[in-house]
Amino acid sequence: MIKVAALVGSIRKDSYNMKLTQFMKDRYRDHFDIQVVTIRDLAHYDQDIEEEAPASVQRFKSEVAEADAFLIVTPEFNHSIPGVLKNALDWLSRGDREMANKATFIAGATMGALGTVRAQMQLRQILNSPGMGANVLPGNEILIGSVQNKIDENGKLTDPQTIDFIDNVVDQFIPFVEAQKEKVHS
Ligand SMILES: Cc1cc2nc3c(=O)[nH]c(=O)nc-3n(C[C@H](O)[C@H](O)[C@H](O)COP(=O)(O)O)c2cc1C
């Protein structure tokens, strides 16, 4: 079983991105053990406190440390990723650099038409920085626009084309993680 730490860029309670993450956790449970790691209570990144980081940061870093892989699911805020997600990533770029070389895939949902494309372009750039060093699945962009029409009142993704697309990305991601794990253990 592949252990996946999921970071969700929206912390509001009715977040579509959280619903999408829960959908993926359930649908792919035979392949992945997806654990959503909260980023809500993280202190602001501050170099002055990183040596003796606050409990919220220590908890967060230890929760993701054992993951084989990462999933980031995020909305777009003002053509970028939400600050709360950037803050979490900045913490992970320091100290043990928990995302370094870890297989990572990305999804995003928005009520607008473009499905987080601008945010995801920036997110890939961030994850590619020397501090982060994540191993991001190339291509395979899960961009979900008009998400309010694709998730039902129970929070379930219902749009068949979107589900097919995500299934296909997951099919690409499984061998990508396996190859990564072999590299780490060889
Ligand atoms: C501060 C703010 C900025 C936003 N900026 C964008 C944007 O640049 N592009 C976009 O497609 N949607 C934008 N939206 C709309 C969000 O995509 C929409 O609110 C989405 O449902 C948020 O994700 P969530 O449901 O997971 O919280 C913005 C929303 C907020 C609150």
Side-chain angles (χ1 to χ4, degrees):
M1 183 67 76
I2 298 166
K3 275 200 268 182
V4 179
L7 308 183
V8 181
S10 171
I11 57 173
R12 74 184 183 100
K13 77 176 169 352
D14 289 328
S15 163
Y16 287 115
N17 285 278
M18 180 60 87
K19 288 173 182 164
L20 174 62
T21 311
Q22 296 297 348
F23 173 86
M24 292 175 73
K25 178 181 165 83
D26 184 50
R27 185 169 179 85
Y28 306 114
R29 63 185 178 280
D30 292 344
H31 301 292
F32 301 141
D33 172 14
I34 298 181
Q35 294 299 333
V36 179
V37 182
T38 184
I39 59 174
R40 162 185 287 284
D41 62 345
L42 280 178
H44 290 164
Y45 175 75
D46 175 349
Q47 196 172 357
D48 290 343
I49 59 171
E50 69 179 358
E51 294 293 323
E52 284 173 51
S56 63
V57 175
Q58 291 186 28
R59 185 266 316 149
F60 173 61
K61 284 171 89 72
S62 68
E63 277 182 44
V64 300
E66 295 305 312
D68 301 310
F70 283 80
L71 166 64
I72 300 182
V73 186
T74 186
E76 179 171 285
F77 278 4
N78 302 312
H79 296 184
S80 186
I81 62 168
V84 71
L85 176 60
K86 179 62 164 57
N87 184 53
L89 295 177
D90 287 340
W91 279 116
L92 296 182
S93 73
R94 304 288 291 175
D96 290 339
R97 299 178 56 241
E98 291 82 357
M99 286 190 79
N101 302 313
K102 291 276 173 75
T104 299
F105 70 136
I106 298 171
T110 172
M111 294 169 76
L114 296 181
T116 74
V117 67
R118 292 163 293 212
Q120 287 197 34
M121 283 171 67
Q122 292 185 20
L123 180 56
R124 282 175 189 263
Q125 210 173 350
I126 292 163
L127 293 172
N128 209 17
S129 65
M132 299 296 319
N135 185 23
V136 183
L137 181 71
N140 292 289
E141 295 167 309
I142 304 175
L143 303 166
I144 305 178
S146 306
V147 64
Q148 68 280 15
N149 303 327
K150 296 173 181 165
I151 286 187
D152 71 13
E153 63 280 3
N154 301 316
K156 252 194 110 191
L157 184 64
T158 51
D159 184 59
Q161 271 183 322
T162 307
I163 295 171
D164 270 3
F165 189 85
I166 302 174
D167 284 353
N168 185 269
V169 172
V170 166
D171 285 347
Q172 312 290 319
F173 192 64
I174 292 167
F176 188 78
V177 186
E178 297 296 351
Q180 181 69 52
K181 277 169 82 176
E182 271 166 38
K183 228 191 302 175
V184 170
H185 294 122
S186 67

